[in-house]
Amino acid sequence: MNYISCFGIIKGMIVKTEGIVLKSFDFRETSRIATFFTRDFGKVKGVLKGIRKDPRKFASSVDKFSLNDIIYYQYRNSDIHLVSHCDMKDFYSGLRLDLERMTAASYACEFIDTLMPAEEQNTAIYELTQEFLKSLQTTPDVTKLIQTFQIKILALSGFQPHLEACVRCSKKVVNAPSFSLRLGGLLCVACKNNAPEATPISLGAVATILHLQKNHWEAASRLGMTPFIKKELKYVLNHFLVFHLEKHLRSTRFLA
């Protein structure tokens, strides 16, 4: 519940929410600054004063991709707020025993930090991220889970590629499709001649992406993928993200 702080104009409001730690770093001699992706307020940056001097001051060490209940003073004229309470809810310990799973979780945090604007609520993407971290603890197929997460977060954020028809002529693509990073979608045989940057993509890969876009997390994560489909999706998704985000995510190069 939000309520007006007695500090009035200086600190604005005191708010309580839960959030996933996207990243954190030391600040001055005793404090840390953490970026949380919160359920109610989107991406929020806050300072935890004195946490390094007295770790018992908070019931969390703000480890990356941990889930926490937080209370913070929402400053009106600053993008860094003062966190007064931070209590661990879930450490996701199952994924911290395996380097591949930890790398995948780090990738998800970097992806969200890059994609999401500051302090803009998106409950659907928040819940998707929680589902991803929970599933990552036990999945036998980390690559498939990452690709499912990529496809669904693109759909929820409005950046999904155009795959229902040719992005140029709007005709249904029935054979030999190509994918244009520049145009952000499929090209039919006739239209791809004017797009030398387009790369071939199988109808199976197209059908896989559409299935993952349209189904909820549990159904999407059950879909089987062949090694060939995974290889196609890796190329198309990673290049599509670099093109539209206009940057390489550092954690991508550590993914298998």
Side-chain angles (χ1 to χ4, degrees):
M1 180 182 297
N2 300 348
Y3 53 98
I4 299 295
S5 166
C6 61
F7 293 92
I9 295 175
I10 297 176
K11 292 182 177 175
M13 300 181 70
I14 299 176
V15 296
K16 180 178 180 179
T17 186
E18 67 172 30
I20 299 162
V21 179
L22 301 181
K23 62 183 180 183
S24 66
F25 58 90
D26 292 344
F27 178 66
R28 295 180 177 169
E29 294 183 357
T30 63
S31 304
R32 290 187 69 79
I33 290 178
T35 300
F36 299 91
F37 184 45
T38 71
R39 176 182 293 278
D40 303 299
F41 304 98
K43 191 171 67 173
V44 171
K45 189 180 294 185
V47 59
L48 294 86
K49 290 188 175 181
I51 189 172
R52 292 162 57 210
K53 182 178 180 181
D54 182 10
R56 294 171 298 178
K57 183 177 180 180
F58 297 92
S60 173
S61 53
V62 289
D63 293 88
K64 194 173 182 179
F65 48 81
S66 63
L67 179 66
N68 298 266
D69 278 326
I70 61 173
I71 299 174
Y72 65 94
Y73 297 98
Q74 191 177 54
Y75 289 103
R76 294 178 178 177
N77 300 314
S78 174
D79 62 349
I80 300 179
H81 308 292
L82 176 62
V83 179
S84 60
H85 292 83
C86 185
D87 298 326
M88 180 82 72
K89 289 189 70 175
D90 199 333
F91 191 59
Y92 298 116
S93 56
L95 62 82
R96 297 176 189 271
L97 303 175
D98 181 278
L99 181 59
E100 184 182 19
R101 297 174 199 274
M102 287 187 66
T103 302
S106 294
Y107 170 81
C109 290
E110 186 182 2
F111 188 8
I112 292 166
D113 190 34
T114 302
L115 183 69
M116 301 304 295
E119 304 194 31
E120 185 175 302
Q121 182 187 30
N122 193 316
T123 305
I125 290 181
Y126 179 81
E127 291 178 350
L128 172 68
T129 306
Q130 277 198 324
E131 293 281 7
F132 173 76
L133 293 174
K134 290 176 184 176
S135 300
L136 191 57
Q137 296 183 97
T138 57
T139 182
D141 193 338
V142 173
T143 298
K144 186 183 81 168
L145 202 68
I146 293 170
Q147 292 174 341
T148 302
F149 178 74
Q150 289 174 317
I151 290 166
K152 294 196 72 62
I153 200 172
L154 285 172
L156 290 171
S157 61
F159 285 96
Q160 74 267 31
H162 183 82
L163 299 174
E164 299 285 357
C166 177
V167 71
R168 269 198 168 149
C169 69
S170 300
K171 292 181 180 177
K172 187 174 179 63
V173 182
V174 294
N175 56 63
S178 294
F179 185 84
S180 169
L181 297 174
R182 179 172 57 86
L183 298 175
L186 286 188
L187 291 172
C188 65
V189 174
C191 291
K192 72 179 180 181
N193 294 328
N194 295 319
E197 84 288 351
T199 185
I201 185 172
S202 70
L203 290 172
V206 173
T208 297
I209 295 173
L210 290 173
H211 176 87
L212 296 177
Q213 284 179 352
K214 295 175 181 178
N215 285 275
H216 58 78
W217 177 258
E218 186 177 348
S221 58
R222 288 200 302 263
L223 180 68
M225 293 186 197
T226 66
F228 180 76
I229 293 291
K230 290 179 187 176
K231 185 177 181 180
E232 281 191 286
L233 293 185
K234 179 179 180 180
Y235 178 86
V236 169
L237 291 170
N238 288 347
H239 284 78
F240 180 78
L241 286 169
V242 169
F243 186 86
H244 288 280
L245 295 177
E246 298 182 342
K247 67 174 292 186
H248 287 270
L249 300 184
R250 289 175 298 176
S251 52
T252 303
R253 67 181 184 269
F254 298 112
L255 297 174

